[in-house]
Amino acid sequence: MRFIKPQWLVHPGEKKDHEVYSCHISSDGQRLVTAAGDGYVRIWSTEAIYNSSNPEYASKPKQLAAMSYHSGTIHSVRFSGNNKYLASGADDKLVCIYVLDTAAPPQHSTFGSNEPPPVENWRVFRRLIGHDNDVQDLGWSYDSSILVSVGLDSKVVVWSGHTFEKLKTLSQHQSHVKGITFDPANKYFATASDDRTIKIFRFSSPPPNASAHDQVNNFVLEHTVSKPFLASPLTTYFRRCSWSPDGNHIAAANATNGPLSSVAIINRGNWDSEINLIGHEAPVEVTAFSPRLFAREPPPPPGSENQPQSVTVIACAGQDKTMTLWNTSYPRPFFISHELAAKSISDLAWAPDGERLFFTSLDGTVGAFVFTSGELGYPVDTAQNEKALEKFGVGRRIGVVEGTDAYLLEEQSKAGELRGVQGRMGELMGDEVVPRGPVINGTNGTVNSPHTNGVIAVTSANEPAATLTNGNTLPASQPPLQPLPLDPQQQRIDKIKQRVTITKDGKKRIAPLLVSSSSGVAESALPKPNLQAATQSRTQTDVAPETILDLSKPYDGLPKGGLGAILFGNKRKYAEIEDQENEQTPEKRAQDIVRHGGRPIVTNTPNGLALPSGPAPRDDTVPEVLRPAIINPSTSVAQMRLAIPHIRTVITRPLDRKTSPSTTNDTADSNGNISNGSIVFECRNSTHPPRTGRAQDREPTRVTLSKGTLALWTDFLPRAVIQATGNKNFWAACCEDGSIHIWTPAGRRYLNPLILEAQGVILDCRGWWLMCITSVGLVHLWDIRRLKSGFGVGGLGGGGPVSLAPILDAAVLSLGPHTTGGPSLVWARLNSKGRVIVAMSNGDGFAYSPEMGVWQRLSENWWAVGSQYWNTLDESVRSLGGSAKGKGKVKKADEDDEADDDVVGIENLSAGIVPLLERNTTNQTLLKGRASFLQRLVKSLLSAEGYEGFESSVSIGHLENRLAAALTLGAKEEFRMYLLMYAKRLGSEGLKGKVEELLRSLIGHFFVSEGRENLKDGAGWQTAEEELGGWKREDLLKEVVLLLGKHRDLQRITVPYAQLLGIINQPGASGEDEMVTDV
């Protein structure tokens, strides 16, 4: 062992050296960075330190750079794992990110300072603002995807390692946070605080273009460890913990074991702390595991079967100015060094080889220990580290580029992700979109005519400017280039920016727009296609029907008084019994007539009788509950019963699904024209006592279709109406005797009444489809245009009703010793394809497949507790480009016109059917605690032996379930997005079998091959059509191949498809302007 302490390795001051608070080694081992109280970040050459006693290195540079961009003491410095960035945090509440600029020459030293001129040019890349107090420690994830900063404001802030956007702020700690360490398996990170706890957070690496909206469900608290720190002192400056390289243990500083200071060893999985390292006389402030695993004996050559058992080495130091080294083979430290400095040791840093250790002290000391081979043990091969992490789901594969085509495919794949990052950052910063012609090879963008390499196109006054490329003049007769269309989203942002406000003194001012704000106008100006977590809106768990696209919007006829009016009734305004004190006057009778649909001929005014002028009086009738519906005898012997709605006074259904019936009288435009939103279908049941004295001789129900104050048509039904629905194609009403009446938009009876086995409890329509669910649990579906049942095979019709018994778990519940209530029906709707979508109170979501004649489960709580993709959306796939709204859609003759307004696009993917069902699962199970036992089971399986790939398998299965659901429902945009998410996950996991099968399924019959003629009658993935899920197979295949092209271990599979599709050979395939040259 050799101890090195060069005299020049200090942060010098006028009278004494400054306190050094932190140090770190770059991943290549060539640079040491230190931070001290002088506000400087200094980078040193490790080669000069190791050879400080060698005269030959006296003339070589020692200090490579010195940066002073903080205004106070710097507490922590850390290199990123990819050796691309350097981060520093100080007591000025800032985190600075530095990059090495290799292109620019080194800057000169500041005039008047004693600093040597820098050898390397490090510049500030970002300044991160997110803390309210001193930044105490920093930590990079092992894949450099995130940076975490902790501070004295009790906050843990997570930053993106690519864009350095703030992804999330964690406020679980109750006091100063003084330490952060990352799991080498990239699954967890742990933070240590003065609240005497260590909190372990679970995360998944975000994509390069991730935002705070995407990561709302990421970075969740997994466990809190407090037992070893119940009596820990609060006098330490740091609590720097460390994670072992095999991922099994966390070494926690400043723990106690009775009255003694110790280092607690926390086991992964169960997070207990039964092991303690006792020996320090004062609190330990910093621990550091060596990055390598060691063996007692020299290890055999790599690849041999008899590999020795490996151990880990940990260094501990603190306020007793002593450093100790421990390993898992000895119960006591095998190395102790006393009085290393005059003050506390503040930080430790191991070199990548695991045999060189640097330390810093508050007295300004910076030193190093260099151990010879065998003193710590014998370093095992790095493959053993990776093998030890494989049980935690780590698969670090370093592929080799298979050739030129594979390299080009990889570059195009990475270029797509980079464009996504740049596009999002430009959108956040509000960059202007300036339409201009193509600029090639560095032309000046200020010139109106496009030109190249400094040569300006000369044209006549009547001809447009011609584009020049490397001196070659294009023909002047070439049509002028059309300017790029402006982005509607950008126009909306610009419009908000120029909003003029008037101050109190009458002056006009332009209100500033804070684009980075988390609320207000800026939030609503930017699209958020990701799925928001339901926990953010626990008070609004119910999803409004009109917010879901491509799904029927049933109006349940709730009165203005709310649900309470149906349950308890409202006080009647007019007494039906006439007496001396309350006698109905002619005015009241006239108002009663108007309320029932009549129109007065004259009105009583102060000047006498006059013709009515203006709109009719507003109908303020609140629907009342008259009585329960008459129970159908069939329900008494039925094995299943659903609740029957009460008979209400008024049932309304507006044509415009987004318009409330209470506002339909005021929907005229500035010209006095009445919009479609004022068309209302109304069923008014009789409220008067029978005129004949018999209870069965009730007055008929008045059915009216009105447009504003004008009644378009009126009809009467002999029985009370309990449900109503309709659209621009037809109107329908269900009576209490189980009959359904259907009218055309003009009021003509379209069919004879449809007689059902029981009363309808849910009546809904979509396009030409009409659905009714009866009280005995049978689902009826009709195609009104074709006059056929929707449950027929192959669209032939003739299929009977479908029972809800399979999805209500009637068979399972009947096996119990006692009769128990099954799950209830939350809602049932139709999509544009005529598929019945049902949501249950137990969180499950179903759709009926008429082709297969069976219910299919689309959502369940199993995915909610086990999948990493639950209630979230991976937005990194958006960088590959999305389709415009309705792009490539060919309207069919039998397709509903209103579906054009309900297209689910990239910007509103959360309004799709599958996300709606998943939100229902979240609301019904997770938020209500019904899945607590299942959550406990899944959490125990994540750390159990034999279930190492459990979470990955469940996540992939969830994506496959989403993909199949979107294909079944015909959800175009959802299918494409889930396909890209699925392909990305397959690439990251390296599942070659599934990747090859996916590519073969996508290619389908796009290229006809021998032996596939018998698949022409297939469906779904095996369909013979050129389209799959509404997209051309070729387009989907190109996107998937580009997404998988960056994975080198899959390039033997993807390159042949890329060559077949012409992706590699296409000019300008990377999305950038190519350089045009003449040879």
Side-chain angles (χ1 to χ4, degrees):
M1 185 270 295
R2 187 163 57 99
F3 177 70
I4 304 175
K5 185 179 175 298
Q7 295 181 355
W8 44 264
L9 190 59
V10 293
H11 285 247
E14 295 182 359
K15 297 182 179 180
K16 64 176 182 178
D17 297 336
H18 291 278
E19 303 92 342
V20 183
Y21 291 94
S22 182
C23 65
H24 199 240
I25 301 290
S26 61
S27 59
D28 57 4
Q30 298 179 1
R31 299 176 181 88
L32 167 71
V33 60
T34 58
D38 58 352
Y40 274 89
V41 174
R42 301 182 186 271
I43 300 177
W44 313 86
S45 170
T46 55
E47 183 182 8
I49 298 174
Y50 300 147
N51 298 275
S52 58
S53 60
N54 191 345
E56 297 179 359
Y57 286 84
S59 59
K60 293 188 178 182
K62 304 176 181 62
Q63 180 175 296
L64 303 180
M67 296 89 72
S68 178
Y69 294 101
H70 287 283
S71 60
T73 301
I74 303 174
H75 294 148
S76 180
V77 283
R78 295 291 183 264
F79 281 105
S80 62
N82 56 12
N83 210 27
K84 186 177 180 180
Y85 300 107
L86 170 64
S88 64
D91 60 5
D92 58 359
K93 311 173 188 177
L94 297 179
V95 176
C96 290
I97 307 297
Y98 310 90
V99 294
L100 176 60
D101 192 352
T102 57
Q107 300 177 356
H108 298 286
S109 59
T110 306
F111 178 76
S113 67
N114 297 325
E115 294 292 332
V119 179
E120 297 177 343
N121 183 24
W122 289 79
R123 59 181 179 86
V124 174
F125 181 68
R126 289 284 190 275
R127 285 184 174 91
L128 311 182
I129 302 175
H131 284 277
D132 301 328
N133 209 328
D134 300 3
V135 178
Q136 203 72 1
D137 203 4
L138 300 170
W140 292 88
S141 63
Y142 274 72
D143 60 354
S144 302
S145 61
I146 60 172
L147 168 68
V148 175
S149 59
V150 299
L152 301 185
D153 55 358
S154 307
K155 293 181 180 179
V156 178
V157 183
V158 183
W159 312 86
S160 170
H162 304 275
T163 61
F164 295 100
E165 179 183 353
K166 184 194 296 184
L167 299 181
K168 199 169 186 179
T169 299
L170 307 172
S171 302
Q172 279 83 350
H173 282 291
Q174 306 300 320
S175 186
H176 309 324
V177 189
K178 297 181 176 180
I180 168 72
T181 183
F182 268 88
D183 170 25
N186 240 40
K187 302 293 183 182
Y188 304 97
F189 64 84
T191 56
S193 170
D194 274 351
D195 60 3
R196 294 187 170 97
T197 63
I198 280 187
K199 295 186 182 294
I200 294 97
F201 296 89
R202 185 177 185 85
F203 77 100
S204 58
S205 298
N209 57 348
S211 64
H213 306 296
D214 309 337
Q215 306 302 311
V216 67
N217 277 347
N218 204 353
F219 314 108
V220 295
L221 180 63
E222 178 76 10
H223 192 78
T224 300
V225 181
S226 59
K227 184 177 179 181
F229 315 102
L230 296 178
S232 64
L234 304 179
T235 58
T236 58
Y237 207 85
F238 300 104
R239 290 175 179 258
R240 285 172 170 158
C241 44
S242 180
W243 212 302
S244 64
D246 57 359
N248 287 324
H249 306 98
I250 303 175
N254 199 8
T256 56
N257 191 332
L260 303 177
S261 298
S262 67
V263 175
I265 304 299
I266 303 173
N267 296 322
R268 184 195 186 100
N270 54 12
W271 311 113
D272 58 6
S273 53
E274 301 297 331
I275 303 176
N276 288 272
L277 306 182
I278 302 175
H280 284 268
E281 299 176 355
V284 177
E285 294 196 14
V286 56
T287 62
F289 273 100
S290 174
R292 298 290 296 272
L293 297 176
F294 293 88
R296 293 185 178 183
E297 303 295 333
S304 60
E305 297 181 357
N306 298 326
Q307 293 292 335
Q309 184 179 3
S310 58
V311 297
T312 56
V313 175
I314 180 176
C316 306
Q319 293 184 357
D320 59 355
K321 298 165 284 187
T322 300
M323 188 185 71
T324 59
L325 293 181
W326 311 66
N327 67 14
T328 53
S329 299
Y330 301 101
R332 297 180 180 180
F334 65 89
F335 176 85
I336 302 176
S337 178
H338 295 282
E339 300 297 332
L340 282 177
K343 292 184 179 180
S344 300
I345 296 176
S346 56
D347 205 358
L348 298 171
W350 287 90
D353 60 4
E355 295 183 318
R356 302 175 187 183
L357 176 62
F358 288 82
F359 73 93
T360 59
S361 174
L362 297 184
D363 66 348
T365 301
V366 181
F369 290 93
V370 178
F371 298 95
T372 59
S373 179
E375 288 184 334
L376 302 180
Y378 297 91
V380 300
D381 188 61
T382 54
Q384 295 295 322
N385 287 51
E386 299 177 4
K387 186 177 180 180
L389 296 173
E390 284 181 358
K391 59 182 178 180
F392 304 122
V394 177
R396 300 177 180 175
R397 301 176 305 275
I398 304 176
V400 179
V401 179
E402 297 291 339
T404 306
D405 291 343
Y407 178 76
L408 294 175
L409 180 61
E410 180 180 350
E411 290 298 318
Q412 293 180 22
S413 177
K414 293 180 179 179
E417 293 186 0
L418 182 60
R419 286 196 301 271
V421 175
Q422 294 173 347
R424 169 157 183 81
M425 291 302 298
E427 188 180 40
L428 289 174
M429 298 304 296
D431 296 341
E432 299 288 342
V433 179
V434 182
R436 56 187 177 89
V439 181
I440 304 177
N441 289 358
T443 60
N444 189 355
T446 59
V447 183
N448 294 329
S449 61
H451 58 281
T452 307
N453 290 355
V455 183
I456 302 177
V458 181
T459 58
S460 60
N462 298 327
E463 294 182 354
T467 304
L468 298 186
T469 306
N470 284 9
N472 297 328
T473 307
L474 297 179
S477 61
Q478 183 177 358
L481 294 172
Q482 298 295 332
L484 296 176
L486 291 176
D487 186 7
Q489 185 67 30
Q490 186 61 39
Q491 291 179 339
R492 183 181 176 187
I493 295 177
D494 295 341
K495 185 177 179 181
I496 296 177
K497 288 180 179 179
Q498 302 300 325
R499 181 172 295 172
V500 179
T501 58
I502 300 177
T503 60
K504 295 181 180 180
D505 54 359
K507 296 182 180 180
K508 294 183 178 180
R509 294 289 185 267
I510 297 179
L513 172 65
L514 300 179
V515 180
S516 61
S517 175
S518 61
S519 61
V521 179
E523 182 179 0
S524 60
L526 297 177
K528 294 191 287 290
N530 57 293
L531 309 183
Q532 299 293 338
T535 55
Q536 300 297 321
S537 57
R538 295 196 177 188
T539 59
Q540 301 176 355
T541 56
D542 295 334
V543 182
E546 63 270 8
T547 61
I548 303 302
L549 303 182
D550 194 25
L551 202 62
S552 58
K553 285 78 177 175
Y555 176 70
D556 55 2
L558 291 180
K560 289 184 289 186
L563 190 61
I566 291 180
L567 298 177
F568 309 107
N570 291 332
K571 184 177 180 181
R572 299 201 175 189
K573 296 184 179 181
Y574 302 107
E576 296 180 355
I577 301 177
E578 300 180 5
D579 51 21
Q580 297 179 356
E581 298 180 357
N582 189 9
E583 183 179 358
Q584 288 191 354
T585 61
E587 290 79 3
K588 289 186 177 181
R589 287 198 298 268
Q591 294 177 7
D592 196 11
I593 294 174
V594 172
R595 182 176 296 103
H596 287 78
R599 182 71 183 271
I601 301 176
V602 293
T603 57
N604 189 9
T605 64
N607 298 326
L609 297 178
L611 294 175
S613 60
R618 188 185 183 97
D619 187 6
D620 293 330
T621 302
V622 177
E624 306 171 9
V625 176
L626 298 178
R627 56 178 173 81
I630 299 175
I631 300 299
N632 194 300
S634 62
T635 60
S636 61
V637 295
Q639 296 180 354
M640 187 183 311
R641 303 176 188 178
L642 299 180
I644 303 174
H646 289 87
I647 303 297
R648 291 168 288 177
T649 56
V650 181
I651 300 175
T652 57
R653 170 73 187 232
L655 179 62
D656 188 358
R657 299 179 297 269
K658 300 179 181 179
T659 304
S660 174
S662 62
T663 62
T664 54
N665 291 335
D666 300 324
T667 55
D669 56 15
S670 59
N671 299 327
N673 300 323
I674 300 175
S675 62
N676 290 333
S678 61
I679 298 179
V680 178
F681 182 70
E682 178 183 273
C683 300
R684 187 176 294 272
N685 294 315
S686 174
T687 60
H688 295 284
R691 297 178 183 271
T692 62
R694 296 197 312 167
Q696 60 268 29
D697 296 333
R698 302 185 185 90
E699 293 185 3
T701 298
R702 181 190 297 269
V703 180
T704 306
L705 183 70
S706 58
K707 187 174 184 180
T709 59
L710 178 64
L712 300 179
W713 56 265
T714 303
D715 200 352
F716 295 91
L717 296 177
R719 297 168 182 84
V721 174
I722 57 178
Q723 294 288 350
T725 186
N727 52 34
K728 63 174 65 176
N729 297 323
F730 62 87
W731 297 97
C734 181
C735 298
E736 66 174 328
D737 63 345
S739 61
I740 297 180
H741 302 261
I742 303 175
W743 295 268
T744 64
R748 178 172 57 91
R749 298 254 182 166
Y750 194 72
L751 293 172
N752 300 107
L754 308 179
I755 307 301
L756 305 181
E757 66 279 354
Q759 292 96 335
V761 297
I762 296 179
L763 187 68
D764 196 13
C765 66
R766 170 73 172 171
W768 285 100
W769 298 98
L770 176 63
M771 177 192 68
C772 182
I773 300 179
T774 62
S775 59
V776 295
L778 293 182
V779 183
H780 295 263
L781 180 66
W782 303 280
D783 187 346
I784 303 300
R785 192 173 71 88
R786 295 185 177 91
L787 299 181
K788 295 180 180 180
S789 171
F791 294 138
V793 180
L796 300 178
V802 176
S803 176
L804 292 174
I807 63 177
L808 289 173
D809 294 336
V812 177
L813 295 173
S814 63
L815 298 178
H818 306 287
T819 303
T820 58
S824 60
L825 202 65
V826 178
W827 50 258
R829 301 177 192 171
L830 290 168
N831 73 342
S832 58
K833 305 296 182 181
R835 298 298 178 94
V836 179
I837 317 296
V838 176
M840 312 300 294
S841 61
N842 62 355
D844 292 351
F846 299 90
Y848 186 80
S849 174
E851 294 82 6
M852 303 182 68
V854 70
W855 289 97
Q856 294 178 310
R857 183 185 287 110
L858 306 185
S859 178
E860 58 179 320
N861 53 11
W862 170 256
W863 307 122
V865 299
S867 173
Q868 295 174 335
Y869 294 92
W870 184 257
N871 223 18
T872 59
L873 179 63
D874 184 3
E875 286 198 346
S876 61
V877 296
R878 297 180 61 202
S879 60
L880 296 178
S883 65
K885 185 177 182 179
K887 179 181 177 182
K889 180 179 180 180
V890 180
K891 182 175 175 58
K892 299 181 181 180
D894 58 347
E895 191 172 276
D896 183 20
D897 294 335
E898 66 180 351
D900 295 339
D901 300 330
D902 293 341
V903 177
V904 178
I906 293 294
E907 70 282 355
N908 56 6
L909 189 65
S910 60
I913 301 175
V914 178
L916 172 65
L917 292 173
E918 292 189 353
R919 283 196 294 270
N920 176 72
T921 305
T922 301
N923 297 336
Q924 299 294 336
T925 59
L926 299 184
L927 298 186
K928 295 182 179 180
R930 295 176 179 173
S932 59
F933 290 99
L934 185 58
Q935 286 176 318
R936 189 181 306 173
L937 171 64
V938 171
K939 183 178 291 186
S940 62
L941 290 179
L942 292 178
S943 57
E945 185 177 357
Y947 292 88
E948 289 79 13
F950 172 77
E951 188 176 24
S952 176
S953 300
V954 174
S955 300
I956 293 177
H958 180 215
L959 291 179
E960 293 171 347
N961 185 76
R962 278 181 170 181
L963 196 59
L967 185 60
T968 301
L969 298 174
K972 180 180 177 182
E973 288 291 346
E974 293 176 70
F975 176 76
R976 174 184 172 273
M977 182 60 66
Y978 296 147
L979 175 64
L980 298 182
M981 293 172 62
Y982 179 61
K984 181 184 177 184
R985 185 57 183 260
L986 292 183
S988 61
E989 296 288 342
L991 302 178
K992 297 182 180 180
K994 287 191 175 183
V995 168
E996 188 170 4
E997 185 181 70
L998 176 64
L999 296 179
R1000 288 183 178 179
S1001 301
L1002 287 176
I1003 201 170
H1005 290 267
F1006 178 67
F1007 296 102
V1008 179
S1009 59
E1010 296 182 359
R1012 300 182 63 90
E1013 291 80 4
N1014 58 344
L1015 300 179
K1016 293 183 179 179
D1017 57 346
W1021 290 95
Q1022 303 299 327
T1023 180
E1025 299 177 358
E1026 294 185 359
E1027 292 188 355
L1028 180 64
W1031 300 89
K1032 290 185 177 181
R1033 289 178 177 269
E1034 181 182 4
D1035 297 338
L1036 293 177
L1037 187 60
K1038 285 183 178 180
E1039 289 184 314
V1040 172
V1041 170
L1042 279 175
L1043 192 63
L1044 297 173
K1046 64 180 180 180
H1047 300 283
R1048 295 183 177 180
D1049 53 340
L1050 300 175
Q1051 287 178 350
R1052 290 187 179 181
I1053 302 174
T1054 56
V1055 168
Y1057 287 91
Q1059 294 173 343
L1060 189 63
L1061 297 172
I1063 297 177
I1064 300 175
N1065 300 325
Q1066 286 181 356
S1070 61
E1072 301 178 356
D1073 297 326
E1074 290 190 335
M1075 178 183 295
V1076 182
T1077 58
D1078 288 338
V1079 181

